[in-house]
Amino acid sequence: MMTRGATRMTRVVMGHMGPRYFSTTVLRNNPGTGVVGGVAAGLLHGFPANPSEKVAVTWVRHFSAMGSRSASTAALNDKQQEKESSDKKVENTATATAAVNGGVGKSVVSYWGVPPSKATKPDGTEWKWNCFRPWETYEADMSIDLTKHHAPVTFLDKFAYWTVKILRFPTDVFFQRRYGCRAMMLETVAAVPGMVGGMLLHCKSLRRFEQSGGWIKALLEEAENERMHLMTFMEVAKPNVYERALVFAVQGVFFNAYFAAYLISPKLAHRIVGYLEEEAVHSYTEFLKELDNGNIENVPAPAIAIDYWRLPKDATLRDVVLVVRADEAHHRDVNHYASDIHYQGQQLKDSPAPLGYH
């Protein structure tokens, strides 16, 4: 009797719970299907199959219904609160973004609630550049010595020197005296070493659990400064299709070659960059001569250059070339200095990096 009672109770409960939670079909009372179908149908319609199942039927029906309703209500409330919170975040982000854009134009709606910061110039006017901020601007050091040259003595120095001289030959043939396009092409290459060196020093600092002496930041600042040179000359000289293709090819080759050189010998890599910057100083000096001779029109300076180098409002292209040349001279000195540190058997982390120029 106990076994039959337990079996019957199990059939009653499963007949009620199964169709309710594990099926989307509607049970119908079919006497030909046996006890389970009749009992389940009776449960769904509110009447038990026989008096002995009355207590179990009543408990199962009311408890399951009550639990389902309570769980559904709680879940619905949670979803409503989550939706209201999400809508509020989106509304706040959209409002903040629209405020940055002056209240008009396109706005970015972010679920994460990270609105863009609004920057202003010292005079209170709105800052319109997203690629750099007012606190990243600076005045170039125009008193820097442009005539410095590292005389190659060791084998690595001579290798670096003649490598740069060989690389300059195809550049002279391709661009000749088109110094606007030449400067643009030069900056696409000059912005690579700082990024590669900073990246490798960053990974080395992580592997060895040691500080970098500020050199990671110094090299990344150099890369960013060279990139800003490119953004400036993009406003002066528009590259055509084959020049863009040349940039792709040169950057792909130079990045990997410099990456391998820095892994093998950092002192050689920095010396190569030092000589590259010497050639850059020479190229910008020739650029200035063409401007002074009237062979290149001395157009007004791009707005991005005026804000980045804090130039006067009436600055011209000649003023831009002067500050860019000063930057290249500074990069020349930093990279020759880094190479000298390695030549003296020390690590870059042992000597503080020249930070604070940019």
Side-chain angles (χ1 to χ4, degrees):
M1 292 297 293
M2 294 298 292
T3 303
R4 291 182 180 178
T7 301
R8 179 174 296 177
M9 181 64 69
T10 302
R11 288 178 177 176
V12 170
V13 173
M14 292 304 296
H16 176 63
M17 300 291 286
R20 191 181 186 93
Y21 293 103
F22 303 103
S23 175
T24 58
T25 61
V26 178
L27 290 179
R28 299 183 182 276
N29 191 5
N30 185 4
T33 59
V35 178
V36 176
V39 172
L43 286 170
L44 291 176
H45 290 286
F47 56 92
N50 55 60
S52 64
E53 299 166 353
K54 186 176 298 184
V55 176
V57 170
T58 303
W59 178 81
V60 170
R61 184 174 67 237
H62 290 287
F63 180 80
S64 60
M66 180 179 64
S68 300
R69 290 170 184 169
S70 299
S72 300
T73 303
L76 180 60
N77 291 336
D78 291 343
K79 288 183 179 179
Q80 289 178 346
Q81 292 178 0
E82 183 179 352
K83 185 177 184 301
E84 291 175 358
S85 178
S86 176
D87 292 343
K88 187 175 182 181
K89 286 183 179 180
V90 171
E91 181 180 356
N92 292 340
T93 303
T95 302
T97 309
V100 172
N101 294 333
V104 295
K106 62 181 181 178
S107 61
V108 179
V109 178
S110 173
Y111 166 79
W112 306 107
V114 186
S117 58
K118 184 177 181 181
T120 57
K121 295 182 180 180
D123 58 2
T125 58
E126 183 179 356
W127 185 260
K128 64 179 181 179
W129 308 108
N130 292 326
C131 53
F132 65 100
R133 294 298 185 178
W135 51 86
E136 297 174 339
T137 63
Y138 66 99
E139 295 181 4
D141 182 12
M142 304 301 294
S143 63
I144 193 168
D145 188 357
L146 302 174
T147 62
K148 282 184 178 180
H149 168 66
H150 182 275
V153 178
T154 66
F155 170 77
L156 286 181
D157 283 354
K158 294 178 181 179
F159 179 82
Y161 177 79
W162 287 109
T163 297
V164 173
K165 287 295 184 181
I166 292 173
L167 291 176
R168 177 173 178 161
F169 176 75
T171 306
D172 291 339
V173 173
F174 186 82
F175 291 104
Q176 297 182 357
R177 307 195 72 81
R178 294 184 299 133
Y179 285 100
C181 295
R182 185 192 187 102
M184 179 190 62
M185 184 67 182
L186 175 66
E187 300 302 341
T188 62
V189 174
V192 171
M195 181 59 65
V196 173
M199 176 186 66
L200 291 177
L201 287 180
H202 174 78
C203 294
K204 180 180 179 181
S205 175
L206 297 178
R207 291 194 310 269
R208 297 191 177 184
F209 304 96
E210 63 184 17
Q211 300 292 333
S212 68
W215 281 95
I216 296 175
K217 183 176 177 61
L219 293 178
L220 293 181
E221 282 184 349
E222 175 186 318
E224 174 63 12
N225 181 248
E226 297 285 9
R227 190 186 67 84
M228 289 303 301
H229 292 176
L230 175 62
M231 296 299 103
T232 298
F233 284 110
M234 284 287 292
E235 301 293 327
V236 177
K238 302 296 183 182
N240 51 37
V241 176
Y242 64 84
E243 287 173 341
R244 290 177 180 270
L246 181 62
V247 169
F248 266 91
V250 172
Q251 188 181 85
V253 173
F254 183 74
F255 179 93
N256 290 284
Y258 189 80
F259 183 90
Y262 205 98
L263 287 176
I264 297 171
S265 176
K267 61 183 176 184
L268 171 63
H270 282 293
R271 190 67 80 198
I272 289 175
V273 178
Y275 285 129
L276 279 174
E277 299 296 354
E278 288 186 15
E279 293 297 331
V281 172
H282 173 74
S283 296
Y284 283 116
T285 300
E286 294 298 316
F287 197 165
L288 287 171
K289 291 180 180 179
E290 293 295 308
L291 286 169
D292 294 339
N293 293 334
N295 297 327
I296 299 177
E297 184 181 0
N298 190 23
V299 298
I304 190 173
I306 293 176
D307 287 338
Y308 184 68
W309 282 284
R310 302 177 188 172
L311 297 174
K313 298 297 182 182
D314 58 347
T316 62
L317 177 59
R318 189 179 191 280
D319 299 318
V320 174
V321 175
L322 285 172
V323 294
V324 171
R325 185 178 63 171
D327 287 348
E328 303 295 0
H330 174 74
H331 299 157
R332 172 204 64 193
D333 296 346
V334 170
N335 280 276
H336 279 314
Y337 172 58
S339 183
D340 290 343
I341 293 174
H342 285 288
Y343 266 102
Q344 295 173 14
Q346 301 183 26
Q347 298 294 324
L348 291 182
K349 66 182 180 66
D350 300 327
S351 299
L355 295 173
Y357 175 73
H358 300 306

